[in-house]
Amino acid sequence: MILSDADLLKRLEEGDLVVDPLEDIDMQVQPASIDLRLGSEFLEFQRTNISCIHPNREDEVSTYIRETTVAEGDEFILHPGDFVLGTTAERVEIPPDLVAHVEGRSSLGRLAVVVHATAGLCDPGYQGQITLELSNLGSAPVALTPGMRISQLTFTKLTSPAARPYGEERGSKYQDQAGPQASRIGNDPEFSK
C-alpha cells in the first residue's frame, strides 16, 4: 500500500517520518509522494589512467572522484553522458514499517535527466541524506540548481515493521550520511576474505 498525501502529512506531523527541512509543505507533499530538493555537493567521476575500478580497493575511489560544491545561486551543468553523485538537501528518517522509493520527477525525465541508476530504495530504519545517481541521457547539457526539486519519494507500508531495520546494529554502510557518498562496496563481507 502506497501512502497518500493525507497519510504522509499525518506521519510527518506525528514525527515518526522525518523529512527535514521541509521548506514548502504545500509544494513538496504531492498526492502520493514527497518532492526532495537538490543539495549543493557533487562527486564527479574523472577519466583516469586506471584500467578498471576494483570494488574492493577503496584507495582507487579517490583516484577517480572529485568533490564539487556549487555556491548559492550557481548551477551544476550535467553534460550528456555524464554520471555524477549528488545529494538531497533534505535529511530523511524512515520508520521501521515503511520503505521509501526514490523516483525521478517527470519534468526532468523529459529533459533526459535520471536520478538513480540502481539505488532507488531507502530501507526501513534509514536515516540521512539520500545520494542521487544523476545521469544525463540526452544530447544537450542540463543546468541543475541546488534547491530545485530533483526527485520524489513514495512510501510503501510493510505488512509488519522490519524486525532488523537498516542501521548501526546491522553494520549498515550509509546510515546517517551527509552529502553524496561514494561506493563502500569494498566493506561488503564477500570482499573481506
Side-chain angles (χ1 to χ4, degrees):
M1 171 175 65
I2 295 175
L3 272 60
S4 70
D5 53 356
D7 297 323
L8 294 169
L9 290 167
K10 182 176 186 241
R11 300 291 292 261
L12 288 166
E13 185 178 320
E14 290 170 354
D16 70 329
L17 171 62
V18 175
V19 178
D20 185 48
L22 192 56
E23 289 202 347
D24 188 336
I25 199 163
D26 292 328
M27 183 186 312
Q28 288 182 260
V29 176
Q30 298 293 324
S33 64
I34 299 175
D35 287 346
L36 300 181
R37 297 168 302 119
L38 182 63
S40 60
E41 301 168 83
F42 299 87
L43 296 179
E44 297 183 72
F45 292 79
Q46 305 300 302
R47 297 187 186 359
T48 65
N49 292 328
I50 60 173
S51 59
C52 66
I53 299 167
H54 298 90
N56 60 337
R57 296 185 190 164
E58 191 173 325
D59 60 316
E60 287 182 356
V61 171
S62 62
T63 305
Y64 70 91
I65 289 185
R66 180 181 76 205
E67 295 180 32
T68 300
T69 301
V70 176
E72 187 173 336
D74 284 348
E75 302 169 330
F76 183 89
I77 306 301
L78 188 63
H79 293 276
D82 274 0
F83 176 81
V84 301
L85 298 177
T87 187
T88 59
E90 293 83 7
R91 181 180 190 283
V92 301
E93 295 180 15
I94 312 298
D97 67 325
L98 297 180
V99 63
H101 305 273
V102 180
E103 307 289 349
R105 294 188 59 229
S106 65
S107 295
L108 286 169
R110 295 166 200 227
L111 298 175
V113 174
V114 296
V115 300
H116 72 80
T118 62
L121 188 75
C122 293
D123 279 315
Y126 174 77
Q127 298 179 13
Q129 289 177 299
I130 297 171
T131 294
L132 301 170
E133 303 159 338
L134 301 167
S135 292
N136 180 345
L137 304 178
S139 57
V142 178
L144 301 177
T145 307
M148 70 185 288
R149 290 177 296 139
I150 189 80
S151 65
Q152 55 189 342
L153 288 181
T154 59
F155 297 86
T156 303
K157 184 147 177 62
L158 302 176
T159 56
S160 63
R164 298 174 54 232
Y166 195 90
E168 191 175 311
E169 302 81 36
R170 293 184 53 87
S172 301
K173 298 182 294 234
Y174 303 106
Q175 186 73 319
D176 292 316
Q177 71 182 18
Q181 299 296 308
S183 176
R184 296 180 184 158
I185 195 170
N187 296 341
D188 285 359
E190 60 266 31
F191 293 119
S192 64
K193 296 176 182 178

